[in-house]
Amino acid sequence: MNNFMFGRYIPGNSWVHRLDPRAKLLLCFIYIGVVFFANNFWTYLLLTVVLLGSIILAAVPARIFIRGLRPLFWLLLFTVVIQIFFGAGGHVYWQWGVFSITHDGLVSAGLILMRFVLIILISTLLTFTTQPLAIADGIESLLNPLRKVHFPVATLALMLSLSLRFVPTLMDEATKIMNAQRSRGVDFGSGGLRQQIKTIVPILIPLFVNAFQRAVDISIAMEARGYRDGENRTKYRQLKWRSADTISLVGFVIMAGLVIALRQLT
Amino acid sequence: MAIISVSNLTYQYAQSEAPAVNDVTFDVEAGDWVAIVGHNGSGKSTLAKLLIGILAADSGTIDIAGTRLTEASVWDVRETIGMVFQNPDNQFVGATVADDVAFGMENRHVSRDVMIRRVKEALLQVGMWEFRDREPARLSGGQKQRVALAGVMAVAPKILILDEATSMLDPEGRSDILNTIKTLKQKLNLTVLSITHDIDEAAQADRILVIDDGRFIEEATPQALFEHGSDLIAMGLDVPFSAKLTELLAQRGVAVPAHYLDEGSLADWLWKSRLTK
C-alpha cells in the first residue's frame, strides 16, 4: 500500500503548493478540457511545456512522478495496443483478420497516449501539491453556487472531509485485523485467485462491522457537540485567493486560447 | 440549586426485557465532581445518553441548569454540557487538531475571529497547541482525548460528562488527562460527572454513585466506598492496588489501618510502621 503514489500528497512549500486549492482545481479542469482540443504537434508541444513548467514550479522530484505513473502502465499499454490494432484509415502496414496496423491507427494511438499521460500527470500534480482536505475545501467552495438550488453543499463537504479523515484509521484497522488473522495462520497473497479472495472476506467483515459502529459513535459525538445540520455553520478554515492564483489562472486561459488558435495550423 | 436534577428516570431499549435505567433519582450540585460506577451493562452509558438528550426517557424528568430537558429545549441543554466519550478515534471529527476543536463552535455560529482565539486558548489549556496542525492519525489516544477535551472547553460548558473517557488509555495517558481535567475544573468551576470503571478516576470524585441493573444501589464518598475492598469488584470497579496490598498484608497478620489508604499514604504508613517496629 505504501508504494502507491497515485493520489498521494507530497508535503512542500513550493509556488504550486501555496496556490489556492480552488485555483488549482480550476487550472486542472482548464488543462484537461484543453487537452481534448489539441490536435497537432504544436498544440501538444505547448501543453507539454506548460506541464513541465508547472512540475518544475512544484519542486516535486521527477522520479516521484514516474513512480506515480507506474501503476497505470498496464492501462496505458492496453489503450495503446487497442488503438494500434483497431484504429483504421490511411496506409495499411499489416493485417490479420480484424486486426490491422494502419498509419492513422498509429497516429491516433500516439495522440491518445499523449493525452492520457498529460491528463494523468496534471491530476497527479494536483494531488501531490494539495492536501486532500484542501481539495475538499476547494470543491465545496466551487460548488457554492449550487446552494441556490438547495443542494446540500456543506453537508457534502463535511462527508468528504470525514471520509478522508477516516482513511488512515480504517487502514490501521485493516492492518490490525490482517495481523490478527496472520497470527492464526492465514497466509495472505499466496494461492490461486479463489484462495486469495477467500482470505479477504474475513478481513472485510470485521472491517465493515467496525466501520458501522464507528459511524454510529461519531454521529452521537457530533450531535453531542451541537451539530444540527450542515448548512448553517460558521467556518473555521478559510481559503485565501492571492494574486498568484489570478496570475496562474490568466496564464492557463491564455494557454487555452493559444491551443485553440494553433489548432488551425495543420 | 442543583445544576443537574434527575428524578424517577426510566428508560428501556426497544428489544430488551428490563429497563436499562430504572427509576433513577439524583442531584448534582454546581461545582461538584460525581462519579457513577457500575458493571458493563449496568445502565451508566444509557444514563449519559439520556442526560444529553440522545435518548428520550420513557418517564421521569431531567433538569439541567434550571431547564427541563424536552424535545424543544434539547439544543439549549446541549449548549451547557460538554461530553467526552470513550473511543478517542470515534469523536475526532475535524481533519486536524485545530479543526476538531473548532467543530463545536462552528455548530454554534461563533464568528471566525472568536474561534481562532478560543481554539488557541483551549489547546494551550490542554497542552496541545504545538500539535494544532497534526492529523488525528499521528496522535496517541491520550493526545486525542486531550483534543476532545479542548473541543469541549472551547464552547465553555457548565457541565463536563466523561463517558468512560479514560478507559481506552494507558495508565500514563489516563493520569495525564485526569490531571488536566482537575485543573480545568478548578479554573472554570466546572461540574464534572464521570462515568467510569477506573478507580483512580472515581477517586477524584466528591461523591460516588454505584449503579447496578439500572438502579442506584449505593452512594458514598470515595474513602467510604474503597473500604469495601474486594466488594468493589462486585460493584464494577477495579480494586485499587493499595487496597489489594492492604488486604494481602492483613491476611498475613499485619495490623493494617482499617480505613482506605491511597498508594502514597500507604507507602507513608509502610515506612513509618517499619520504623516503630
Side-chain angles (χ1 to χ4, degrees), chain A residues 131 133 158 162 165-166 168-169 214 217-218 220-228 232-238, chain B residues 52 54 75 78 85 89-95 98-100 102-104 106-110 112 115 119 137:
Chain A
Q131 289 191 20
L133 186 67
L158 186 75
L162 263 180
R165 177 243 165 286
F166 272 96
T169 310
R214 274 182 203 285
D217 281 0
I218 203 118
I220 290 177
M222 283 169 67
E223 236 188 280
R225 294 173 70 179
Y227 182 83
R228 303 168 77 157
N232 297 309
R233 304 175 67 230
T234 43
K235 277 198 73 101
Y236 175 67
R237 239 193 346 265
Q238 256 171 13
Chain B
I52 54 162
I54 299 272
W75 295 105
R78 280 179 197 163
F85 294 89
D89 258 319
N90 295 0
Q91 55 187 317
F92 205 112
V93 185
D99 283 308
D100 190 62
F103 180 79
E106 290 178 320
N107 293 333
R108 289 166 170 78
H109 317 293
V110 175
R112 185 156 183 271
M115 269 199 266
V119 164

Side-chain angles (χ1 to χ4, degrees), chain A:
Chain A
M1 282 294 193
N2 286 326
N3 298 323
F4 201 70
M5 297 304 295
F6 188 70
R8 185 76 89 73
Y9 171 70
I10 313 283
N13 194 26
S14 71
W15 201 78
V16 181
H17 278 89
R18 286 197 306 268
L19 283 181
D20 189 290
R22 285 169 297 184
K24 279 188 269 193
L25 278 165
L26 285 175
L27 296 181
C28 206
F29 291 148
I30 293 174
Y31 191 92
I32 291 172
V34 168
V35 163
F36 289 99
F37 284 95
N39 65 344
N40 59 29
F41 175 77
W42 295 108
T43 50
Y44 279 106
L45 183 70
L46 177 64
L47 284 170
T48 312
V49 168
V50 169
L51 180 70
L52 289 179
S54 314
I55 289 177
I56 290 165
L57 280 174
V60 176
R63 60 186 164 81
I64 296 185
F65 271 92
I66 292 162
R67 233 194 294 164
L69 275 178
R70 211 180 286 159
L72 298 163
F73 176 77
W74 291 108
L75 179 69
L76 289 174
L77 190 74
F78 180 74
T79 331
V80 168
V81 166
I82 291 280
Q83 281 297 323
I84 289 178
F85 284 129
F86 292 101
H91 185 75
V92 179
Y93 301 110
W94 175 85
Q95 192 160 24
W96 183 76
V98 287
F99 301 103
S100 64
I101 296 178
T102 64
H103 175 259
D104 288 6
L106 282 178
V107 169
S108 71
L111 291 183
I112 292 266
L113 177 69
M114 194 68 197
R115 280 181 185 173
F116 234 131
V117 171
L118 289 178
I119 290 173
I120 290 166
L121 284 179
I122 194 84
S123 22
T124 312
L125 183 65
L126 174 73
T127 58
F128 274 180
T129 59
T130 321
Q131 289 191 20
L133 186 67
I135 297 184
D137 282 343
I139 292 173
E140 177 185 8
S141 174
L142 290 177
L143 287 179
N144 253 340
L146 289 180
R147 275 179 209 268
K148 288 235 166 62
V149 290
H150 297 293
F151 185 80
V153 177
T155 309
L156 192 80
L158 186 75
M159 278 162 62
L160 205 60
S161 93
L162 263 180
S163 349
L164 289 170
R165 177 243 165 286
F166 272 96
V167 168
T169 310
L170 291 179
M171 292 270 249
D172 271 359
E173 195 153 276
T175 315
K176 258 186 222 156
I177 296 168
M178 278 174 85
N179 286 340
Q181 309 280 23
R182 269 198 198 103
S183 72
R184 292 174 176 80
V186 177
D187 188 6
F188 294 106
S190 72
L193 188 64
R194 227 180 117 83
Q195 191 56 43
Q196 289 211 29
I197 289 172
K198 263 191 181 162
T199 59
I200 294 289
V201 175
I203 301 172
L204 283 186
I205 290 173
L207 197 60
F208 265 90
V209 172
N210 287 344
F212 278 109
Q213 186 51 50
R214 274 182 203 285
V216 172
D217 281 0
I218 203 118
S219 69
I220 290 177
M222 283 169 67
E223 236 188 280
R225 294 173 70 179
Y227 182 83
R228 303 168 77 157
D229 66 87
E231 306 305 315
N232 297 309
R233 304 175 67 230
T234 43
K235 277 198 73 101
Y236 175 67
R237 239 193 346 265
Q238 256 171 13
L239 300 173
K240 253 215 203 92
W241 188 274
R242 297 173 312 138
S243 49
D245 301 305
T246 315
I247 293 168
S248 39
L249 201 60
V250 169
F252 268 55
V253 170
I254 293 172
M255 171 201 75
L258 275 175
V259 165
I260 288 166
L262 287 170
R263 263 172 74 84
Q264 324 300 332
L265 274 181
T266 33

